[in-house]
mmCIF file of all heavy atoms in Angstrom:
data_model
loop_
_atom_site.group_PDB
_atom_site.id
_atom_site.type_symbol
_atom_site.label_atom_id
_atom_site.label_comp_id
_atom_site.label_asym_id
_atom_site.label_seq_id
_atom_site.Cartn_x
_atom_site.Cartn_y
_atom_site.Cartn_z
ATOM 1 N N PRO A 12 2.895 33.666 5.157
ATOM 2 C CA PRO A 12 3.788 34.497 5.964
ATOM 3 C C PRO A 12 3.081 34.757 7.301
ATOM 4 O O PRO A 12 1.851 34.691 7.374
ATOM 5 C CB PRO A 12 3.888 35.810 5.177
ATOM 6 C CG PRO A 12 3.407 35.496 3.801
ATOM 7 C CD PRO A 12 2.440 34.367 3.938
ATOM 8 N N ILE A 13 3.849 35.040 8.337
ATOM 9 C CA ILE A 13 3.189 35.520 9.563
ATOM 10 C C ILE A 13 3.195 37.033 9.445
ATOM 11 O O ILE A 13 4.228 37.657 9.205
ATOM 12 C CB ILE A 13 3.864 34.989 10.843
ATOM 13 C CG1 ILE A 13 5.376 35.172 10.815
ATOM 14 C CG2 ILE A 13 3.511 33.515 11.045
ATOM 15 C CD1 ILE A 13 6.041 34.886 12.147
ATOM 16 N N TYR A 14 2.013 37.628 9.545
ATOM 17 C CA TYR A 14 1.848 39.041 9.199
ATOM 18 C C TYR A 14 2.257 39.954 10.350
ATOM 19 O O TYR A 14 2.028 39.634 11.521
ATOM 20 C CB TYR A 14 0.396 39.296 8.779
ATOM 21 C CG TYR A 14 -0.053 38.342 7.682
ATOM 22 C CD1 TYR A 14 -1.023 37.362 7.915
ATOM 23 C CD2 TYR A 14 0.545 38.382 6.423
ATOM 24 C CE1 TYR A 14 -1.396 36.464 6.915
ATOM 25 C CE2 TYR A 14 0.175 37.493 5.418
ATOM 26 C CZ TYR A 14 -0.792 36.536 5.675
ATOM 27 O OH TYR A 14 -1.154 35.647 4.690
ATOM 28 N N TYR A 15 2.847 41.088 9.989
ATOM 29 C CA TYR A 15 3.205 42.088 10.995
ATOM 30 C C TYR A 15 1.941 42.630 11.618
ATOM 31 O O TYR A 15 0.966 42.913 10.894
ATOM 32 C CB TYR A 15 3.945 43.267 10.352
ATOM 33 C CG TYR A 15 5.383 42.999 10.025
ATOM 34 C CD1 TYR A 15 5.894 43.342 8.776
ATOM 35 C CD2 TYR A 15 6.249 42.448 10.964
ATOM 36 C CE1 TYR A 15 7.217 43.124 8.466
ATOM 37 C CE2 TYR A 15 7.583 42.225 10.653
ATOM 38 C CZ TYR A 15 8.060 42.565 9.410
ATOM 39 O OH TYR A 15 9.368 42.343 9.109
ATOM 40 N N HIS A 21 -5.576 43.180 5.351
ATOM 41 C CA HIS A 21 -6.123 43.782 4.133
ATOM 42 C C HIS A 21 -6.167 42.761 2.996
ATOM 43 O O HIS A 21 -5.842 41.582 3.195
ATOM 44 C CB HIS A 21 -5.343 45.042 3.748
ATOM 45 C CG HIS A 21 -3.874 44.827 3.507
ATOM 46 N ND1 HIS A 21 -3.400 43.986 2.544
ATOM 47 C CD2 HIS A 21 -2.782 45.342 4.123
ATOM 48 C CE1 HIS A 21 -2.083 43.990 2.544
ATOM 49 N NE2 HIS A 21 -1.677 44.810 3.511
ATOM 50 N N GLY A 23 -4.283 42.034 0.525
ATOM 51 C CA GLY A 23 -3.080 41.240 0.256
ATOM 52 C C GLY A 23 -2.945 40.078 1.224
ATOM 53 O O GLY A 23 -2.668 38.941 0.817
ATOM 54 N N HIS A 24 -3.166 40.335 2.505
ATOM 55 C CA HIS A 24 -3.104 39.246 3.499
ATOM 56 C C HIS A 24 -4.211 38.235 3.208
ATOM 57 O O HIS A 24 -4.011 37.022 3.313
ATOM 58 C CB HIS A 24 -3.318 39.785 4.915
ATOM 59 C CG HIS A 24 -2.360 40.867 5.320
ATOM 60 N ND1 HIS A 24 -2.763 42.068 5.852
ATOM 61 C CD2 HIS A 24 -1.005 40.940 5.248
ATOM 62 C CE1 HIS A 24 -1.718 42.817 6.108
ATOM 63 N NE2 HIS A 24 -0.628 42.164 5.740
ATOM 64 N N TYR A 26 -5.580 37.507 0.385
ATOM 65 C CA TYR A 26 -5.257 36.685 -0.788
ATOM 66 C C TYR A 26 -4.317 35.536 -0.407
ATOM 67 O O TYR A 26 -4.593 34.372 -0.698
ATOM 68 C CB TYR A 26 -4.632 37.540 -1.894
ATOM 69 C CG TYR A 26 -4.153 36.692 -3.051
ATOM 70 C CD1 TYR A 26 -5.057 36.091 -3.912
ATOM 71 C CD2 TYR A 26 -2.791 36.481 -3.265
ATOM 72 C CE1 TYR A 26 -4.621 35.287 -4.960
ATOM 73 C CE2 TYR A 26 -2.349 35.680 -4.314
ATOM 74 C CZ TYR A 26 -3.265 35.084 -5.158
ATOM 75 O OH TYR A 26 -2.835 34.285 -6.189
ATOM 76 N N SER A 27 -3.183 35.873 0.236
ATOM 77 C CA SER A 27 -2.222 34.807 0.581
ATOM 78 C C SER A 27 -2.898 33.734 1.431
ATOM 79 O O SER A 27 -2.650 32.536 1.246
ATOM 80 C CB SER A 27 -1.050 35.362 1.386
ATOM 81 O OG SER A 27 -0.435 36.400 0.706
ATOM 82 N N ASP A 52 3.539 38.159 13.303
ATOM 83 C CA ASP A 52 4.946 38.472 13.559
ATOM 84 C C ASP A 52 4.930 39.689 14.493
ATOM 85 O O ASP A 52 4.478 40.763 14.091
ATOM 86 C CB ASP A 52 5.570 38.817 12.192
ATOM 87 C CG ASP A 52 7.066 38.957 12.239
ATOM 88 O OD1 ASP A 52 7.639 38.895 13.341
ATOM 89 O OD2 ASP A 52 7.667 39.145 11.154
ATOM 90 N N TRP A 229 13.789 39.163 11.677
ATOM 91 C CA TRP A 229 13.668 38.122 10.650
ATOM 92 C C TRP A 229 14.227 36.779 11.119
ATOM 93 O O TRP A 229 13.680 35.720 10.793
ATOM 94 C CB TRP A 229 14.341 38.551 9.337
ATOM 95 C CG TRP A 229 13.392 39.312 8.456
ATOM 96 C CD1 TRP A 229 13.389 40.655 8.208
ATOM 97 C CD2 TRP A 229 12.274 38.773 7.734
ATOM 98 N NE1 TRP A 229 12.349 40.990 7.380
ATOM 99 C CE2 TRP A 229 11.644 39.860 7.069
ATOM 100 C CE3 TRP A 229 11.738 37.505 7.582
ATOM 101 C CZ2 TRP A 229 10.514 39.692 6.270
ATOM 102 C CZ3 TRP A 229 10.614 37.331 6.779
ATOM 103 C CH2 TRP A 229 10.019 38.414 6.133
ATOM 104 N N ALA A 232 11.391 35.498 13.185
ATOM 105 C CA ALA A 232 10.119 35.198 12.507
ATOM 106 C C ALA A 232 10.175 33.925 11.659
ATOM 107 O O ALA A 232 9.252 33.107 11.678
ATOM 108 C CB ALA A 232 9.713 36.373 11.630
ATOM 109 N N LEU A 233 11.257 33.745 10.901
ATOM 110 C CA LEU A 233 11.314 32.605 9.974
ATOM 111 C C LEU A 233 11.216 31.267 10.714
ATOM 112 O O LEU A 233 10.674 30.287 10.185
ATOM 113 C CB LEU A 233 12.612 32.673 9.155
ATOM 114 C CG LEU A 233 12.625 33.800 8.112
ATOM 115 C CD1 LEU A 233 14.053 34.146 7.692
ATOM 116 C CD2 LEU A 233 11.783 33.417 6.891
ATOM 117 N N ASN A 235 9.322 30.437 12.922
ATOM 118 C CA ASN A 235 7.944 30.027 13.258
ATOM 119 C C ASN A 235 7.536 28.757 12.522
ATOM 120 O O ASN A 235 6.746 27.958 13.016
ATOM 121 C CB ASN A 235 6.956 31.166 12.939
ATOM 122 C CG ASN A 235 6.420 31.095 11.518
ATOM 123 O OD1 ASN A 235 5.463 30.388 11.216
ATOM 124 N ND2 ASN A 235 7.055 31.830 10.605
ATOM 125 N N TYR A 236 8.093 28.587 11.305
ATOM 126 C CA TYR A 236 7.699 27.429 10.500
ATOM 127 C C TYR A 236 8.118 26.109 11.161
ATOM 128 O O TYR A 236 7.491 25.080 10.931
ATOM 129 C CB TYR A 236 8.307 27.532 9.095
ATOM 130 C CG TYR A 236 7.927 28.801 8.338
ATOM 131 C CD1 TYR A 236 8.900 29.594 7.719
ATOM 132 C CD2 TYR A 236 6.602 29.191 8.222
ATOM 133 C CE1 TYR A 236 8.560 30.741 7.011
ATOM 134 C CE2 TYR A 236 6.245 30.337 7.522
ATOM 135 C CZ TYR A 236 7.228 31.111 6.913
ATOM 136 O OH TYR A 236 6.882 32.238 6.215
ATOM 137 N N ILE A 259 4.475 32.954 -0.108
ATOM 138 C CA ILE A 259 4.762 34.365 0.212
ATOM 139 C C ILE A 259 4.468 35.218 -1.025
ATOM 140 O O ILE A 259 4.255 34.693 -2.115
ATOM 141 C CB ILE A 259 6.254 34.580 0.578
ATOM 142 C CG1 ILE A 259 7.159 34.116 -0.582
ATOM 143 C CG2 ILE A 259 6.616 33.874 1.862
ATOM 144 C CD1 ILE A 259 8.583 34.617 -0.486
ATOM 145 N N ALA A 260 4.533 36.563 -0.851
ATOM 146 C CA ALA A 260 4.537 37.436 -2.027
ATOM 147 C C ALA A 260 5.977 37.838 -2.308
ATOM 148 O O ALA A 260 6.879 37.627 -1.483
ATOM 149 C CB ALA A 260 3.669 38.663 -1.802
ATOM 150 N N LYS A 261 6.175 38.479 -3.444
ATOM 151 C CA LYS A 261 7.529 38.783 -3.921
ATOM 152 C C LYS A 261 8.289 39.732 -2.981
ATOM 153 O O LYS A 261 9.508 39.779 -3.022
ATOM 154 C CB LYS A 261 7.445 39.386 -5.323
ATOM 155 C CG LYS A 261 6.626 40.677 -5.383
ATOM 156 C CD LYS A 261 6.468 41.164 -6.808
ATOM 157 C CE LYS A 261 5.762 42.507 -6.844
ATOM 158 N NZ LYS A 261 5.575 43.028 -8.187
ATOM 159 N N ASP A 262 7.567 40.465 -2.104
ATOM 160 C CA ASP A 262 8.234 41.431 -1.219
ATOM 161 C C ASP A 262 9.185 40.784 -0.226
ATOM 162 O O ASP A 262 10.118 41.428 0.245
ATOM 163 C CB ASP A 262 7.187 42.269 -0.451
ATOM 164 C CG ASP A 262 6.213 41.417 0.360
ATOM 165 O OD1 ASP A 262 5.998 40.255 -0.010
ATOM 166 O OD2 ASP A 262 5.671 41.923 1.365
ATOM 167 N N ILE A 263 8.927 39.518 0.117
ATOM 168 C CA ILE A 263 9.770 38.899 1.148
ATOM 169 C C ILE A 263 10.496 37.666 0.597
ATOM 170 O O ILE A 263 10.719 36.685 1.291
ATOM 171 C CB ILE A 263 8.954 38.578 2.422
ATOM 172 C CG1 ILE A 263 7.658 37.821 2.097
ATOM 173 C CG2 ILE A 263 8.592 39.868 3.157
ATOM 174 C CD1 ILE A 263 6.857 37.435 3.356
ATOM 175 N N HIS A 267 13.157 34.664 2.623
ATOM 176 C CA HIS A 267 12.724 33.265 2.538
ATOM 177 C C HIS A 267 13.625 32.398 1.666
ATOM 178 O O HIS A 267 13.755 31.199 1.909
ATOM 179 C CB HIS A 267 11.282 33.188 2.015
ATOM 180 C CG HIS A 267 10.270 33.466 3.081
ATOM 181 N ND1 HIS A 267 9.909 34.737 3.433
ATOM 182 C CD2 HIS A 267 9.584 32.627 3.905
ATOM 183 C CE1 HIS A 267 9.028 34.683 4.420
ATOM 184 N NE2 HIS A 267 8.814 33.418 4.726
ATOM 185 N N HIS A 289 3.975 34.698 -4.974
ATOM 186 C CA HIS A 289 2.961 35.349 -5.806
ATOM 187 C C HIS A 289 3.241 36.835 -5.972
ATOM 188 O O HIS A 289 4.099 37.411 -5.297
ATOM 189 C CB HIS A 289 1.539 35.086 -5.290
ATOM 190 C CG HIS A 289 1.217 35.661 -3.944
ATOM 191 N ND1 HIS A 289 0.983 36.992 -3.743
ATOM 192 C CD2 HIS A 289 1.066 35.061 -2.737
ATOM 193 C CE1 HIS A 289 0.681 37.190 -2.470
ATOM 194 N NE2 HIS A 289 0.749 36.037 -1.820
ATOM 195 N N GLY A 290 2.484 37.465 -6.895
ATOM 196 C CA GLY A 290 2.676 38.886 -7.181
ATOM 197 C C GLY A 290 1.864 39.755 -6.234
ATOM 198 O O GLY A 290 1.347 39.283 -5.224
ATOM 199 N N TYR A 291 1.742 40.998 -6.596
ATOM 200 C CA TYR A 291 1.071 41.975 -5.754
ATOM 201 C C TYR A 291 -0.291 42.357 -6.307
ATOM 202 O O TYR A 291 -0.467 42.484 -7.517
ATOM 203 C CB TYR A 291 1.958 43.230 -5.656
ATOM 204 C CG TYR A 291 2.499 43.407 -4.265
ATOM 205 C CD1 TYR A 291 3.084 42.336 -3.599
ATOM 206 C CD2 TYR A 291 2.396 44.631 -3.612
ATOM 207 C CE1 TYR A 291 3.548 42.482 -2.309
ATOM 208 C CE2 TYR A 291 2.868 44.784 -2.321
ATOM 209 C CZ TYR A 291 3.435 43.699 -1.669
ATOM 210 O OH TYR A 291 3.873 43.848 -0.397
ATOM 211 N N TRP A 292 -1.239 42.555 -5.422
ATOM 212 C CA TRP A 292 -2.536 43.121 -5.814
ATOM 213 C C TRP A 292 -2.434 44.632 -5.772
ATOM 214 O O TRP A 292 -2.009 45.201 -4.758
ATOM 215 C CB TRP A 292 -3.629 42.703 -4.828
ATOM 216 C CG TRP A 292 -4.149 41.342 -5.096
ATOM 217 C CD1 TRP A 292 -3.810 40.193 -4.448
ATOM 218 C CD2 TRP A 292 -5.104 40.969 -6.097
ATOM 219 N NE1 TRP A 292 -4.486 39.130 -4.984
ATOM 220 C CE2 TRP A 292 -5.285 39.582 -5.989
ATOM 221 C CE3 TRP A 292 -5.816 41.675 -7.077
ATOM 222 C CZ2 TRP A 292 -6.155 38.879 -6.836
ATOM 223 C CZ3 TRP A 292 -6.677 40.968 -7.905
ATOM 224 C CH2 TRP A 292 -6.844 39.590 -7.781
ATOM 225 N N MET A 299 -1.742 49.698 -3.379
ATOM 226 C CA MET A 299 -2.609 49.876 -2.213
ATOM 227 C C MET A 299 -1.791 50.523 -1.099
ATOM 228 O O MET A 299 -0.710 50.055 -0.780
ATOM 229 C CB MET A 299 -3.081 48.484 -1.777
ATOM 230 C CG MET A 299 -4.219 48.498 -0.834
ATOM 231 S SD MET A 299 -4.963 46.866 -0.602
ATOM 232 C CE MET A 299 -3.629 45.732 -0.612
HETATM 233 O O1 ME8 B 701 6.460 40.781 5.635
HETATM 234 N N1 ME8 B 701 -0.646 41.877 -2.649
HETATM 235 O O2 ME8 B 701 4.637 40.760 7.051
HETATM 236 P P1 ME8 B 701 3.593 41.674 6.242
HETATM 237 C C1 ME8 B 701 -0.480 40.588 -2.356
HETATM 238 N N2 ME8 B 701 6.087 39.729 8.952
HETATM 239 N N3 ME8 B 701 -0.043 40.150 -1.146
HETATM 240 C C2 ME8 B 701 0.240 41.056 -0.213
HETATM 241 C C3 ME8 B 701 0.105 42.439 -0.468
HETATM 242 C C4 ME8 B 701 -0.379 42.837 -1.764
HETATM 243 N N4 ME8 B 701 -0.585 44.102 -2.109
HETATM 244 N N5 ME8 B 701 0.472 43.096 0.645
HETATM 245 C C5 ME8 B 701 0.810 42.150 1.570
HETATM 246 C C6 ME8 B 701 5.919 40.477 6.687
HETATM 247 N N6 ME8 B 701 0.667 40.924 1.066
HETATM 248 C C7 ME8 B 701 6.651 39.598 7.663
HETATM 249 C C8 ME8 B 701 6.609 38.166 7.193
HETATM 250 S S1 ME8 B 701 7.188 35.587 7.456
HETATM 251 C C9 ME8 B 701 8.249 34.674 8.325
HETATM 252 C C10 ME8 B 701 7.357 37.201 8.054
HETATM 253 C C11 ME8 B 701 0.876 39.650 1.772
HETATM 254 O O3 ME8 B 701 2.472 41.910 7.197
HETATM 255 C C12 ME8 B 701 1.941 38.806 1.093
HETATM 256 O O4 ME8 B 701 1.787 37.479 1.506
HETATM 257 O O5 ME8 B 701 4.269 42.824 5.637
HETATM 258 C C13 ME8 B 701 3.206 39.383 1.663
HETATM 259 O O6 ME8 B 701 4.330 38.544 1.474
HETATM 260 C C14 ME8 B 701 2.819 39.527 3.103
HETATM 261 O O7 ME8 B 701 1.427 39.931 3.056
HETATM 262 C C15 ME8 B 701 3.641 40.539 3.880
HETATM 263 O O8 ME8 B 701 3.036 40.704 5.135
#
Side-chain angles (χ1 to χ4, degrees):
I13 49 170
Y14 307 112
Y15 283 133
H21 59 60
H24 304 129
Y26 174 72
S27 305
D52 189 354
W229 272 106
L233 289 160
N235 90 84
Y236 302 130
I259 58 164
K261 60 185 185 180
D262 57 334
I263 50 177
H267 280 83
H289 65 75
Y291 248 48
W292 279 100
M299 194 168 38

